[in-house]
Amino acid sequence: MTIAVYPGSFDPVTLGHVDVIKRASRVFEEVRVCVMKNPKKHYLFSEKERLAFLTESTKQYSNVMVDAYQGLLTEYVRAKNARVVIKGLRSSGDFEYEKQMDFFNKRLAPEVETLYMAADNAYSVLSSSAIRELMTFGGSLDGLVPEVVLDAAAKRMGGKA
Ligand code: PNS
């Protein structure tokens, strides 16, 4: 069984993330989406909320599972007997950042391969940080995030999402 892990902060999950998950679910027998900690980030949504958003927005894909893990990505990948990590790429900037992470992940677990999926054009500039910024100023998130995130954002923004 080929298991792929799709890790990220997902603060919050966007339709760009969901698109990558959908496409990965067609290629791999099992996809484990894992909410992880990026030490460079301060999160707006709690781990529990981020997990719940992902669970709801991927429920139609029967071979997708959602998890959270606080440690190293390579530890999680090995614990799940996975061999593949999926990363979405929107730009060359993303690639430069991912290349650095790949270097360290490869040192820790040489048997794990990271595969990159180009973002769909519709989502090539979409980011969770832009979503958080729109939320801060009350901008519309329509067509950018799953329904469950729209609802949660509307609650936080006092009905303005
Ligand atoms: O969505 P993000 O914030 O770009 O995702 C980055 C994430 C969470 C996948 C990355 O920070 C990560 O793998 N964190 C776990 C710790 C780890 O294994 N780091 C890689 C070695 S430097």
Side-chain angles (χ1 to χ4, degrees):
M1 161 120 94
T2 321
I3 304 170
V5 173
Y6 179 45
S9 293
F10 305 110
D11 186 38
V13 58
T14 68
L15 290 184
H17 294 129
V18 176
D19 183 62
V20 170
I21 294 166
K22 177 181 80 183
R23 289 159 57 202
S25 77
R26 292 176 183 153
V27 176
F28 298 98
E29 286 167 270
E30 186 177 303
V31 177
R32 285 188 165 263
V33 183
C34 191
V35 176
M36 303 207 76
K37 214 171 154 55
N38 180 341
K40 294 177 208 78
K41 292 185 178 170
H42 294 284
Y43 294 116
L44 175 64
F45 291 101
S46 69
E47 182 183 277
K48 205 172 149 199
E49 286 173 303
R50 289 179 279 141
L51 200 60
F53 297 158
L54 274 164
T55 304
E56 178 61 26
S57 34
T58 61
K59 65 180 183 202
Q60 65 270 44
Y61 309 117
S62 57
N63 60 339
V64 172
M65 297 160 93
V66 177
D67 241 340
Y69 187 70
Q70 304 269 337
L72 283 170
L73 170 62
T74 47
E75 283 171 6
Y76 176 83
V77 172
R78 280 181 170 164
K80 299 301 170 193
N81 287 318
R83 277 292 170 90
V84 174
V85 170
I86 300 287
K87 296 282 183 118
L89 292 181
R90 293 161 301 185
S91 63
S92 51
D94 276 357
F95 182 63
E96 291 306 318
Y97 171 68
E98 292 299 344
K99 236 169 59 176
Q100 288 176 31
M101 295 237 265
D102 188 50
F103 173 84
F104 295 107
N105 287 333
K106 262 273 171 325
R107 293 187 77 220
L108 294 164
E111 79 281 11
V112 175
E113 209 51 66
T114 300
L115 301 182
Y116 302 93
M117 209 175 263
D120 186 279
N121 279 339
Y123 307 120
S124 64
V125 297
L126 180 53
S127 65
S128 297
S129 59
I131 298 301
R132 295 194 301 276
E133 189 162 335
L134 284 167
M135 281 179 66
T136 304
F137 297 106
S140 169
L141 307 182
D142 237 4
L144 303 176
V145 292
E147 205 71 38
V148 62
V149 178
L150 271 186
D151 293 345
K155 277 193 195 114
R156 287 222 182 191
M157 292 156 58
K160 280 197 285 176

